[in-house]
PDB file of all heavy atoms in Angstrom:
ATOM      1  N   THR A   1     -42.342-236.538 -31.997  1.00 84.00           N
ATOM      2  CA  THR A   1     -41.623-236.403 -30.717  1.00 84.00           C
ATOM      3  C   THR A   1     -41.724-237.687 -29.893  1.00 84.00           C
ATOM      4  O   THR A   1     -40.746-238.099 -29.287  1.00 84.00           O
ATOM      5  CB  THR A   1     -42.199-235.209 -29.921  1.00 84.00           C
ATOM      6  OG1 THR A   1     -42.074-234.015 -30.705  1.00 84.00           O
ATOM      7  CG2 THR A   1     -41.444-235.022 -28.615  1.00 84.00           C
ATOM      8  N   ALA A   2     -42.915-238.294 -29.862  1.00 83.00           N
ATOM      9  CA  ALA A   2     -43.079-239.538 -29.122  1.00 83.00           C
ATOM     10  C   ALA A   2     -42.235-240.669 -29.720  1.00 83.00           C
ATOM     11  O   ALA A   2     -41.733-241.533 -28.990  1.00 83.00           O
ATOM     12  CB  ALA A   2     -44.547-239.934 -29.114  1.00 83.00           C
ATOM     13  N   LEU A   3     -42.036-240.647 -31.014  1.00 79.00           N
ATOM     14  CA  LEU A   3     -41.224-241.673 -31.657  1.00 79.00           C
ATOM     15  C   LEU A   3     -39.747-241.581 -31.327  1.00 79.00           C
ATOM     16  O   LEU A   3     -39.060-242.589 -31.100  1.00 79.00           O
ATOM     17  CB  LEU A   3     -41.414-241.649 -33.167  1.00 79.00           C
ATOM     18  CG  LEU A   3     -42.615-242.425 -33.745  1.00 79.00           C
ATOM     19  CD1 LEU A   3     -42.699-242.166 -35.251  1.00 79.00           C
ATOM     20  CD2 LEU A   3     -42.460-243.939 -33.489  1.00 79.00           C
ATOM     21  N   VAL A   4     -39.230-240.378 -31.329  1.00 80.00           N
ATOM     22  CA  VAL A   4     -37.762-240.197 -31.236  1.00 80.00           C
ATOM     23  C   VAL A   4     -37.258-239.895 -29.837  1.00 80.00           C
ATOM     24  O   VAL A   4     -36.040-239.854 -29.635  1.00 80.00           O
ATOM     25  CB  VAL A   4     -37.310-239.056 -32.194  1.00 80.00           C
ATOM     26  CG1 VAL A   4     -37.761-239.347 -33.622  1.00 80.00           C
ATOM     27  CG2 VAL A   4     -37.841-237.710 -31.719  1.00 80.00           C
ATOM     28  N   THR A   5     -38.152-239.705 -28.872  1.00 81.00           N
ATOM     29  CA  THR A   5     -37.730-239.329 -27.516  1.00 81.00           C
ATOM     30  C   THR A   5     -37.680-240.539 -26.602  1.00 81.00           C
ATOM     31  O   THR A   5     -38.611-241.349 -26.586  1.00 81.00           O
ATOM     32  CB  THR A   5     -38.686-238.275 -26.939  1.00 81.00           C
ATOM     33  OG1 THR A   5     -38.789-237.179 -27.820  1.00 81.00           O
ATOM     34  CG2 THR A   5     -38.229-237.803 -25.569  1.00 81.00           C
ATOM     35  N   PRO A   6     -36.609-240.688 -25.829  1.00 80.00           N
ATOM     36  CA  PRO A   6     -36.556-241.780 -24.843  1.00 80.00           C
ATOM     37  C   PRO A   6     -37.708-241.653 -23.819  1.00 80.00           C
ATOM     38  O   PRO A   6     -38.167-240.538 -23.527  1.00 80.00           O
ATOM     39  CB  PRO A   6     -35.184-241.608 -24.193  1.00 80.00           C
ATOM     40  CG  PRO A   6     -34.393-240.840 -25.183  1.00 80.00           C
ATOM     41  CD  PRO A   6     -35.356-239.947 -25.896  1.00 80.00           C
ATOM     42  N   GLU A   7     -38.077-242.774 -23.236  1.00 79.00           N
ATOM     43  CA  GLU A   7     -39.224-242.783 -22.357  1.00 79.00           C
ATOM     44  C   GLU A   7     -39.041-241.864 -21.150  1.00 79.00           C
ATOM     45  O   GLU A   7     -39.995-241.204 -20.719  1.00 79.00           O
ATOM     46  CB  GLU A   7     -39.481-244.223 -21.894  1.00 79.00           C
ATOM     47  CG  GLU A   7     -40.713-244.359 -20.974  1.00 79.00           C
ATOM     48  CD  GLU A   7     -40.948-245.789 -20.558  1.00 79.00           C
ATOM     49  OE1 GLU A   7     -40.111-246.668 -20.938  1.00 79.00           O
ATOM     50  OE2 GLU A   7     -41.902-246.046 -19.811  1.00 79.00           O
ATOM     51  N   GLU A   8     -37.829-241.781 -20.633  1.00 81.00           N
ATOM     52  CA  GLU A   8     -37.623-240.972 -19.439  1.00 81.00           C
ATOM     53  C   GLU A   8     -37.746-239.475 -19.676  1.00 81.00           C
ATOM     54  O   GLU A   8     -37.951-238.699 -18.729  1.00 81.00           O
ATOM     55  CB  GLU A   8     -36.248-241.278 -18.824  1.00 81.00           C
ATOM     56  CG  GLU A   8     -35.050-240.972 -19.729  1.00 81.00           C
ATOM     57  CD  GLU A   8     -34.678-242.133 -20.631  1.00 81.00           C
ATOM     58  OE1 GLU A   8     -35.511-243.064 -20.763  1.00 81.00           O
ATOM     59  OE2 GLU A   8     -33.563-242.118 -21.188  1.00 81.00           O
ATOM     60  N   HIS A   9     -37.630-239.042 -20.935  1.00 81.00           N
ATOM     61  CA  HIS A   9     -37.753-237.620 -21.270  1.00 81.00           C
ATOM     62  C   HIS A   9     -39.027-237.288 -22.050  1.00 81.00           C
ATOM     63  O   HIS A   9     -39.190-236.156 -22.513  1.00 81.00           O
ATOM     64  CB  HIS A   9     -36.538-237.164 -22.096  1.00 81.00           C
ATOM     65  CG  HIS A   9     -35.224-237.280 -21.362  1.00 81.00           C
ATOM     66  ND1 HIS A   9     -34.973-236.639 -20.180  1.00 81.00           N
ATOM     67  CD2 HIS A   9     -34.114-238.001 -21.666  1.00 81.00           C
ATOM     68  CE1 HIS A   9     -33.731-236.916 -19.776  1.00 81.00           C
ATOM     69  NE2 HIS A   9     -33.195-237.757 -20.658  1.00 81.00           N
ATOM     70  N   LEU A  10     -39.941-238.274 -22.210  1.00 84.00           N
ATOM     71  CA  LEU A  10     -41.068-238.077 -23.083  1.00 84.00           C
ATOM     72  C   LEU A  10     -42.015-237.011 -22.573  1.00 84.00           C
ATOM     73  O   LEU A  10     -42.440-236.126 -23.319  1.00 84.00           O
ATOM     74  CB  LEU A  10     -41.826-239.400 -23.269  1.00 84.00           C
ATOM     75  CG  LEU A  10     -43.084-239.328 -24.152  1.00 84.00           C
ATOM     76  CD1 LEU A  10     -42.727-238.875 -25.566  1.00 84.00           C
ATOM     77  CD2 LEU A  10     -43.777-240.690 -24.214  1.00 84.00           C
ATOM     78  N   LEU A  11     -42.346-237.043 -21.291  1.00 86.00           N
ATOM     79  CA  LEU A  11     -43.288-236.081 -20.743  1.00 86.00           C
ATOM     80  C   LEU A  11     -42.750-234.648 -20.927  1.00 86.00           C
ATOM     81  O   LEU A  11     -43.499-233.753 -21.375  1.00 86.00           O
ATOM     82  CB  LEU A  11     -43.551-236.356 -19.272  1.00 86.00           C
ATOM     83  CG  LEU A  11     -44.493-235.371 -18.565  1.00 86.00           C
ATOM     84  CD1 LEU A  11     -45.866-235.389 -19.230  1.00 86.00           C
ATOM     85  CD2 LEU A  11     -44.612-235.721 -17.076  1.00 86.00           C
ATOM     86  N   GLY A  12     -41.511-234.413 -20.578  1.00 86.00           N
ATOM     87  CA  GLY A  12     -40.940-233.074 -20.737  1.00 86.00           C
ATOM     88  C   GLY A  12     -40.926-232.622 -22.179  1.00 86.00           C
ATOM     89  O   GLY A  12     -41.199-231.454 -22.479  1.00 86.00           O
ATOM     90  N   ALA A  13     -40.576-233.533 -23.096  1.00 87.00           N
ATOM     91  CA  ALA A  13     -40.532-233.163 -24.502  1.00 87.00           C
ATOM     92  C   ALA A  13     -41.909-232.782 -25.025  1.00 87.00           C
ATOM     93  O   ALA A  13     -42.060-231.827 -25.782  1.00 87.00           O
ATOM     94  CB  ALA A  13     -39.953-234.337 -25.324  1.00 87.00           C
ATOM     95  N   GLN A  14     -42.948-233.517 -24.608  1.00 88.00           N
ATOM     96  CA  GLN A  14     -44.273-233.194 -25.077  1.00 88.00           C
ATOM     97  C   GLN A  14     -44.786-231.859 -24.492  1.00 88.00           C
ATOM     98  O   GLN A  14     -45.523-231.118 -25.155  1.00 88.00           O
ATOM     99  CB  GLN A  14     -45.271-234.324 -24.716  1.00 88.00           C
ATOM    100  CG  GLN A  14     -44.940-235.668 -25.365  1.00 88.00           C
ATOM    101  CD  GLN A  14     -45.128-235.664 -26.884  1.00 88.00           C
ATOM    102  OE1 GLN A  14     -44.908-234.642 -27.543  1.00 88.00           O
ATOM    103  NE2 GLN A  14     -45.505-236.789 -27.418  1.00 88.00           N
ATOM    104  N   VAL A  15     -44.370-231.570 -23.251  1.00 90.00           N
ATOM    105  CA  VAL A  15     -44.726-230.248 -22.688  1.00 90.00           C
ATOM    106  C   VAL A  15     -44.056-229.149 -23.514  1.00 90.00           C
ATOM    107  O   VAL A  15     -44.663-228.091 -23.761  1.00 90.00           O
ATOM    108  CB  VAL A  15     -44.319-230.192 -21.210  1.00 90.00           C
ATOM    109  CG1 VAL A  15     -44.526-228.776 -20.666  1.00 90.00           C
ATOM    110  CG2 VAL A  15     -45.108-231.186 -20.376  1.00 90.00           C
ATOM    111  N   VAL A  16     -42.825-229.357 -23.936  1.00 90.00           N
ATOM    112  CA  VAL A  16     -42.142-228.387 -24.789  1.00 90.00           C
ATOM    113  C   VAL A  16     -42.878-228.218 -26.108  1.00 90.00           C
ATOM    114  O   VAL A  16     -43.037-227.087 -26.623  1.00 90.00           O
ATOM    115  CB  VAL A  16     -40.683-228.779 -25.015  1.00 90.00           C
ATOM    116  CG1 VAL A  16     -40.024-227.855 -26.043  1.00 90.00           C
ATOM    117  CG2 VAL A  16     -39.896-228.743 -23.718  1.00 90.00           C
ATOM    118  N   VAL A  17     -43.372-229.303 -26.679  1.00 90.00           N
ATOM    119  CA  VAL A  17     -44.117-229.241 -27.911  1.00 90.00           C
ATOM    120  C   VAL A  17     -45.366-228.388 -27.752  1.00 90.00           C
ATOM    121  O   VAL A  17     -45.682-227.529 -28.575  1.00 90.00           O
ATOM    122  CB  VAL A  17     -44.467-230.645 -28.435  1.00 90.00           C
ATOM    123  CG1 VAL A  17     -45.461-230.571 -29.600  1.00 90.00           C
ATOM    124  CG2 VAL A  17     -43.229-231.398 -28.858  1.00 90.00           C
ATOM    125  N   VAL A  18     -46.098-228.623 -26.658  1.00 91.00           N
ATOM    126  CA  VAL A  18     -47.310-227.842 -26.389  1.00 91.00           C
ATOM    127  C   VAL A  18     -46.937-226.364 -26.209  1.00 91.00           C
ATOM    128  O   VAL A  18     -47.651-225.467 -26.742  1.00 91.00           O
ATOM    129  CB  VAL A  18     -48.035-228.382 -25.135  1.00 91.00           C
ATOM    130  CG1 VAL A  18     -49.202-227.467 -24.775  1.00 91.00           C
ATOM    131  CG2 VAL A  18     -48.516-229.792 -25.399  1.00 91.00           C
ATOM    132  N   ALA A  19     -45.855-226.067 -25.497  1.00 92.00           N
ATOM    133  CA  ALA A  19     -45.443-224.679 -25.324  1.00 92.00           C
ATOM    134  C   ALA A  19     -45.059-224.048 -26.656  1.00 92.00           C
ATOM    135  O   ALA A  19     -45.354-222.868 -26.916  1.00 92.00           O
ATOM    136  CB  ALA A  19     -44.270-224.613 -24.348  1.00 92.00           C
ATOM    137  N   TRP A  20     -44.387-224.810 -27.514  1.00 92.00           N
ATOM    138  CA  TRP A  20     -44.048-224.296 -28.839  1.00 92.00           C
ATOM    139  C   TRP A  20     -45.289-224.016 -29.663  1.00 92.00           C
ATOM    140  O   TRP A  20     -45.361-222.994 -30.379  1.00 92.00           O
ATOM    141  CB  TRP A  20     -43.144-225.278 -29.582  1.00 92.00           C
ATOM    142  CG  TRP A  20     -42.908-224.918 -31.014  1.00 92.00           C
ATOM    143  CD1 TRP A  20     -43.522-225.440 -32.106  1.00 92.00           C
ATOM    144  CD2 TRP A  20     -42.048-223.883 -31.507  1.00 92.00           C
ATOM    145  NE1 TRP A  20     -43.090-224.855 -33.263  1.00 92.00           N
ATOM    146  CE2 TRP A  20     -42.186-223.868 -32.912  1.00 92.00           C
ATOM    147  CE3 TRP A  20     -41.195-222.980 -30.909  1.00 92.00           C
ATOM    148  CZ2 TRP A  20     -41.479-223.009 -33.735  1.00 92.00           C
ATOM    149  CZ3 TRP A  20     -40.474-222.109 -31.713  1.00 92.00           C
ATOM    150  CH2 TRP A  20     -40.610-222.116 -33.110  1.00 92.00           C
ATOM    151  N   VAL A  21     -46.281-224.896 -29.572  1.00 92.00           N
ATOM    152  CA  VAL A  21     -47.525-224.693 -30.314  1.00 92.00           C
ATOM    153  C   VAL A  21     -48.188-223.409 -29.863  1.00 92.00           C
ATOM    154  O   VAL A  21     -48.670-222.596 -30.687  1.00 92.00           O
ATOM    155  CB  VAL A  21     -48.481-225.881 -30.113  1.00 92.00           C
ATOM    156  CG1 VAL A  21     -49.872-225.566 -30.557  1.00 92.00           C
ATOM    157  CG2 VAL A  21     -47.956-227.121 -30.835  1.00 92.00           C
ATOM    158  N   LEU A  22     -48.228-223.147 -28.557  1.00 92.00           N
ATOM    159  CA  LEU A  22     -48.822-221.903 -28.031  1.00 92.00           C
ATOM    160  C   LEU A  22     -48.031-220.690 -28.505  1.00 92.00           C
ATOM    161  O   LEU A  22     -48.636-219.684 -28.949  1.00 92.00           O
ATOM    162  CB  LEU A  22     -48.870-221.953 -26.508  1.00 92.00           C
ATOM    163  CG  LEU A  22     -49.748-223.026 -25.892  1.00 92.00           C
ATOM    164  CD1 LEU A  22     -49.638-223.008 -24.364  1.00 92.00           C
ATOM    165  CD2 LEU A  22     -51.202-222.846 -26.297  1.00 92.00           C
ATOM    166  N   ALA A  23     -46.700-220.762 -28.418  1.00 92.00           N
ATOM    167  CA  ALA A  23     -45.888-219.612 -28.827  1.00 92.00           C
ATOM    168  C   ALA A  23     -46.029-219.343 -30.334  1.00 92.00           C
ATOM    169  O   ALA A  23     -46.173-218.199 -30.752  1.00 92.00           O
ATOM    170  CB  ALA A  23     -44.417-219.858 -28.459  1.00 92.00           C
ATOM    171  N   ALA A  24     -45.959-220.409 -31.138  1.00 91.00           N
ATOM    172  CA  ALA A  24     -46.059-220.231 -32.578  1.00 91.00           C
ATOM    173  C   ALA A  24     -47.426-219.696 -32.977  1.00 91.00           C
ATOM    174  O   ALA A  24     -47.530-218.837 -33.875  1.00 91.00           O
ATOM    175  CB  ALA A  24     -45.792-221.557 -33.291  1.00 91.00           C
ATOM    176  N   THR A  25     -48.479-220.142 -32.304  1.00 91.00           N
ATOM    177  CA  THR A  25     -49.825-219.638 -32.613  1.00 91.00           C
ATOM    178  C   THR A  25     -49.941-218.153 -32.269  1.00 91.00           C
ATOM    179  O   THR A  25     -50.499-217.345 -33.053  1.00 91.00           O
ATOM    180  CB  THR A  25     -50.873-220.427 -31.826  1.00 91.00           C
ATOM    181  OG1 THR A  25     -50.755-221.818 -32.158  1.00 91.00           O
ATOM    182  CG2 THR A  25     -52.279-219.957 -32.141  1.00 91.00           C
ATOM    183  N   ALA A  26     -49.388-217.749 -31.124  1.00 92.00           N
ATOM    184  CA  ALA A  26     -49.455-216.360 -30.728  1.00 92.00           C
ATOM    185  C   ALA A  26     -48.646-215.476 -31.680  1.00 92.00           C
ATOM    186  O   ALA A  26     -49.086-214.386 -32.086  1.00 92.00           O
ATOM    187  CB  ALA A  26     -48.983-216.188 -29.283  1.00 92.00           C
ATOM    188  N   VAL A  27     -47.439-215.927 -32.037  1.00 92.00           N
ATOM    189  CA  VAL A  27     -46.620-215.160 -32.967  1.00 92.00           C
ATOM    190  C   VAL A  27     -47.291-215.099 -34.348  1.00 92.00           C
ATOM    191  O   VAL A  27     -47.322-214.028 -34.977  1.00 92.00           O
ATOM    192  CB  VAL A  27     -45.212-215.800 -33.083  1.00 92.00           C
ATOM    193  CG1 VAL A  27     -44.398-215.141 -34.195  1.00 92.00           C
ATOM    194  CG2 VAL A  27     -44.467-215.649 -31.760  1.00 92.00           C
ATOM    195  N   GLY A  28     -47.823-216.207 -34.816  1.00 90.00           N
ATOM    196  CA  GLY A  28     -48.499-216.226 -36.099  1.00 90.00           C
ATOM    197  C   GLY A  28     -49.701-215.296 -36.107  1.00 90.00           C
ATOM    198  O   GLY A  28     -49.968-214.604 -37.111  1.00 90.00           O
ATOM    199  N   GLN A  29     -50.434-215.216 -34.973  1.00 90.00           N
ATOM    200  CA  GLN A  29     -51.572-214.334 -34.897  1.00 90.00           C
ATOM    201  C   GLN A  29     -51.142-212.868 -34.997  1.00 90.00           C
ATOM    202  O   GLN A  29     -51.768-212.063 -35.700  1.00 90.00           O
ATOM    203  CB  GLN A  29     -52.284-214.556 -33.573  1.00 90.00           C
ATOM    204  CG  GLN A  29     -53.658-213.942 -33.508  1.00 90.00           C
ATOM    205  CD  GLN A  29     -54.630-214.650 -34.433  1.00 90.00           C
ATOM    206  OE1 GLN A  29     -54.768-215.851 -34.378  1.00 90.00           O
ATOM    207  NE2 GLN A  29     -55.313-213.894 -35.271  1.00 90.00           N
ATOM    208  N   ALA A  30     -50.043-212.525 -34.303  1.00 91.00           N
ATOM    209  CA  ALA A  30     -49.549-211.138 -34.371  1.00 91.00           C
ATOM    210  C   ALA A  30     -49.107-210.788 -35.783  1.00 91.00           C
ATOM    211  O   ALA A  30     -49.411-209.699 -36.303  1.00 91.00           O
ATOM    212  CB  ALA A  30     -48.369-210.969 -33.405  1.00 91.00           C
ATOM    213  N   VAL A  31     -48.403-211.714 -36.447  1.00 91.00           N
ATOM    214  CA  VAL A  31     -48.010-211.459 -37.852  1.00 91.00           C
ATOM    215  C   VAL A  31     -49.228-211.360 -38.764  1.00 91.00           C
ATOM    216  O   VAL A  31     -49.284-210.523 -39.671  1.00 91.00           O
ATOM    217  CB  VAL A  31     -47.049-212.573 -38.320  1.00 91.00           C
ATOM    218  CG1 VAL A  31     -46.716-212.396 -39.787  1.00 91.00           C
ATOM    219  CG2 VAL A  31     -45.782-212.583 -37.495  1.00 91.00           C
ATOM    220  N   GLY A  32     -50.229-212.191 -38.506  1.00 89.00           N
ATOM    221  CA  GLY A  32     -51.432-212.144 -39.330  1.00 89.00           C
ATOM    222  C   GLY A  32     -52.133-210.804 -39.217  1.00 89.00           C
ATOM    223  O   GLY A  32     -52.607-210.272 -40.230  1.00 89.00           O
ATOM    224  N   TRP A  33     -52.235-210.261 -38.014  1.00 90.00           N
ATOM    225  CA  TRP A  33     -52.847-208.934 -37.864  1.00 90.00           C
ATOM    226  C   TRP A  33     -52.034-207.853 -38.567  1.00 90.00           C
ATOM    227  O   TRP A  33     -52.581-206.957 -39.204  1.00 90.00           O
ATOM    228  CB  TRP A  33     -52.985-208.569 -36.386  1.00 90.00           C
ATOM    229  CG  TRP A  33     -54.073-209.281 -35.653  1.00 90.00           C
ATOM    230  CD1 TRP A  33     -53.955-210.065 -34.543  1.00 90.00           C
ATOM    231  CD2 TRP A  33     -55.473-209.262 -35.937  1.00 90.00           C
ATOM    232  NE1 TRP A  33     -55.142-210.554 -34.126  1.00 90.00           N
ATOM    233  CE2 TRP A  33     -56.135-210.063 -34.973  1.00 90.00           C
ATOM    234  CE3 TRP A  33     -56.252-208.657 -36.936  1.00 90.00           C
ATOM    235  CZ2 TRP A  33     -57.497-210.267 -34.978  1.00 90.00           C
ATOM    236  CZ3 TRP A  33     -57.622-208.849 -36.917  1.00 90.00           C
ATOM    237  CH2 TRP A  33     -58.226-209.636 -35.956  1.00 90.00           C
ATOM    238  N   ALA A  34     -50.707-207.957 -38.459  1.00 90.00           N
ATOM    239  CA  ALA A  34     -49.863-206.968 -39.124  1.00 90.00           C
ATOM    240  C   ALA A  34     -50.042-207.014 -40.648  1.00 90.00           C
ATOM    241  O   ALA A  34     -50.152-205.965 -41.306  1.00 90.00           O
ATOM    242  CB  ALA A  34     -48.399-207.185 -38.763  1.00 90.00           C
ATOM    243  N   VAL A  35     -50.080-208.202 -41.223  1.00 89.00           N
ATOM    244  CA  VAL A  35     -50.253-208.330 -42.674  1.00 89.00           C
ATOM    245  C   VAL A  35     -51.653-207.853 -43.069  1.00 89.00           C
ATOM    246  O   VAL A  35     -51.827-207.197 -44.115  1.00 89.00           O
ATOM    247  CB  VAL A  35     -50.041-209.795 -43.116  1.00 89.00           C
ATOM    248  CG1 VAL A  35     -50.366-209.974 -44.580  1.00 89.00           C
ATOM    249  CG2 VAL A  35     -48.587-210.191 -42.852  1.00 89.00           C
ATOM    250  N   GLU A  36     -52.662-208.129 -42.225  1.00 87.00           N
ATOM    251  CA  GLU A  36     -54.008-207.670 -42.549  1.00 87.00           C
ATOM    252  C   GLU A  36     -54.065-206.148 -42.507  1.00 87.00           C
ATOM    253  O   GLU A  36     -54.763-205.533 -43.322  1.00 87.00           O
ATOM    254  CB  GLU A  36     -55.011-208.248 -41.541  1.00 87.00           C
ATOM    255  CG  GLU A  36     -56.448-207.838 -41.774  1.00 87.00           C
ATOM    256  CD  GLU A  36     -56.989-208.325 -43.110  1.00 87.00           C
ATOM    257  OE1 GLU A  36     -56.403-209.205 -43.755  1.00 87.00           O
ATOM    258  OE2 GLU A  36     -58.033-207.764 -43.531  1.00 87.00           O
ATOM    259  N   GLY A  37     -53.323-205.521 -41.577  1.00 88.00           N
ATOM    260  CA  GLY A  37     -53.276-204.074 -41.554  1.00 88.00           C
ATOM    261  C   GLY A  37     -52.647-203.486 -42.820  1.00 88.00           C
ATOM    262  O   GLY A  37     -53.151-202.528 -43.396  1.00 88.00           O
ATOM    263  N   VAL A  38     -51.550-204.147 -43.278  1.00 88.00           N
ATOM    264  CA  VAL A  38     -50.928-203.698 -44.533  1.00 88.00           C
ATOM    265  C   VAL A  38     -51.894-203.898 -45.685  1.00 88.00           C
ATOM    266  O   VAL A  38     -52.017-203.071 -46.588  1.00 88.00           O
ATOM    267  CB  VAL A  38     -49.625-204.490 -44.766  1.00 88.00           C
ATOM    268  CG1 VAL A  38     -49.061-204.172 -46.144  1.00 88.00           C
ATOM    269  CG2 VAL A  38     -48.597-204.169 -43.692  1.00 88.00           C
ATOM    270  N   ARG A  39     -52.622-205.030 -45.687  1.00 86.00           N
ATOM    271  CA  ARG A  39     -53.544-205.323 -46.769  1.00 86.00           C
ATOM    272  C   ARG A  39     -54.668-204.278 -46.871  1.00 86.00           C
ATOM    273  O   ARG A  39     -55.213-204.028 -47.950  1.00 86.00           O
ATOM    274  CB  ARG A  39     -54.134-206.708 -46.551  1.00 86.00           C
ATOM    275  CG  ARG A  39     -54.977-207.232 -47.719  1.00 86.00           C
ATOM    276  CD  ARG A  39     -55.617-208.549 -47.368  1.00 86.00           C
ATOM    277  NE  ARG A  39     -54.716-209.669 -47.532  1.00 86.00           N
ATOM    278  CZ  ARG A  39     -54.432-210.540 -46.577  1.00 86.00           C
ATOM    279  NH1 ARG A  39     -54.952-210.424 -45.376  1.00 86.00           N
ATOM    280  NH2 ARG A  39     -53.607-211.531 -46.811  1.00 86.00           N
ATOM    281  N   ARG A  40     -55.021-203.662 -45.778  1.00 86.00           N
ATOM    282  CA  ARG A  40     -56.123-202.690 -45.768  1.00 86.00           C
ATOM    283  C   ARG A  40     -55.680-201.265 -46.090  1.00 86.00           C
ATOM    284  O   ARG A  40     -56.499-200.369 -46.082  1.00 86.00           O
ATOM    285  CB  ARG A  40     -56.824-202.720 -44.400  1.00 86.00           C
ATOM    286  CG  ARG A  40     -57.519-204.023 -44.112  1.00 86.00           C
ATOM    287  CD  ARG A  40     -58.363-203.974 -42.858  1.00 86.00           C
ATOM    288  NE  ARG A  40     -59.077-205.210 -42.593  1.00 86.00           N
ATOM    289  CZ  ARG A  40     -60.058-205.374 -41.729  1.00 86.00           C
ATOM    290  NH1 ARG A  40     -60.463-204.325 -41.019  1.00 86.00           N
ATOM    291  NH2 ARG A  40     -60.639-206.530 -41.557  1.00 86.00           N
ATOM    292  N   THR A  41     -54.392-201.043 -46.321  1.00 87.00           N
ATOM    293  CA  THR A  41     -53.924-199.757 -46.771  1.00 87.00           C
ATOM    294  C   THR A  41     -54.217-199.583 -48.254  1.00 87.00           C
ATOM    295  O   THR A  41     -54.565-200.537 -48.957  1.00 87.00           O
ATOM    296  CB  THR A  41     -52.424-199.608 -46.506  1.00 87.00           C
ATOM    297  OG1 THR A  41     -51.718-200.682 -47.175  1.00 87.00           O
ATOM    298  CG2 THR A  41     -52.106-199.672 -45.021  1.00 87.00           C
ATOM    299  N   PRO A  42     -54.090-198.336 -48.798  1.00 86.00           N
ATOM    300  CA  PRO A  42     -54.493-198.103 -50.212  1.00 86.00           C
ATOM    301  C   PRO A  42     -53.884-199.056 -51.222  1.00 86.00           C
ATOM    302  O   PRO A  42     -54.544-199.511 -52.129  1.00 86.00           O
ATOM    303  CB  PRO A  42     -54.064-196.664 -50.440  1.00 86.00           C
ATOM    304  CG  PRO A  42     -54.168-196.017 -49.092  1.00 86.00           C
ATOM    305  CD  PRO A  42     -53.760-197.073 -48.114  1.00 86.00           C
ATOM    306  N   ARG A  43     -52.579-199.361 -51.128  1.00 84.00           N
ATOM    307  CA  ARG A  43     -51.939-200.297 -52.057  1.00 84.00           C
ATOM    308  C   ARG A  43     -51.536-201.574 -51.358  1.00 84.00           C
ATOM    309  O   ARG A  43     -50.611-202.259 -51.772  1.00 84.00           O
ATOM    310  CB  ARG A  43     -50.741-199.640 -52.726  1.00 84.00           C
ATOM    311  CG  ARG A  43     -51.119-198.502 -53.673  1.00 84.00           C
ATOM    312  CD  ARG A  43     -49.866-197.917 -54.353  1.00 84.00           C
ATOM    313  NE  ARG A  43     -50.225-196.910 -55.327  1.00 84.00           N
ATOM    314  CZ  ARG A  43     -50.495-195.640 -55.059  1.00 84.00           C
ATOM    315  NH1 ARG A  43     -50.455-195.228 -53.801  1.00 84.00           N
ATOM    316  NH2 ARG A  43     -50.813-194.774 -56.012  1.00 84.00           N
ATOM    317  N   GLY A  44     -52.198-201.875 -50.279  1.00 83.00           N
ATOM    318  CA  GLY A  44     -51.805-203.015 -49.449  1.00 83.00           C
ATOM    319  C   GLY A  44     -52.027-204.357 -50.088  1.00 83.00           C
ATOM    320  O   GLY A  44     -51.207-205.270 -49.941  1.00 83.00           O
ATOM    321  N   VAL A  45     -53.122-204.518 -50.837  1.00 81.00           N
ATOM    322  CA  VAL A  45     -53.392-205.816 -51.472  1.00 81.00           C
ATOM    323  C   VAL A  45     -52.279-206.202 -52.430  1.00 81.00           C
ATOM    324  O   VAL A  45     -51.765-207.329 -52.425  1.00 81.00           O
ATOM    325  CB  VAL A  45     -54.767-205.777 -52.192  1.00 81.00           C
ATOM    326  CG1 VAL A  45     -54.988-207.077 -52.960  1.00 81.00           C
ATOM    327  CG2 VAL A  45     -55.875-205.559 -51.196  1.00 81.00           C
ATOM    328  N   LEU A  46     -51.857-205.229 -53.244  1.00 85.00           N
ATOM    329  CA  LEU A  46     -50.766-205.484 -54.190  1.00 85.00           C
ATOM    330  C   LEU A  46     -49.470-205.769 -53.432  1.00 85.00           C
ATOM    331  O   LEU A  46     -48.699-206.659 -53.823  1.00 85.00           O
ATOM    332  CB  LEU A  46     -50.590-204.289 -55.105  1.00 85.00           C
ATOM    333  CG  LEU A  46     -49.461-204.383 -56.136  1.00 85.00           C
ATOM    334  CD1 LEU A  46     -49.687-205.556 -57.089  1.00 85.00           C
ATOM    335  CD2 LEU A  46     -49.333-203.091 -56.911  1.00 85.00           C
TER     336      LEU A  46
END
């Protein structure tokens, strides 16, 4: 992002990157719990 973004928009672009990291981590965590729940069912591992 720092390489391809003009200097006047760099700060805003990096804030968006941080927000995306937070959102993706939270979504990934929710999906991870859901898959773990499926894995713990009788035929979940398969």
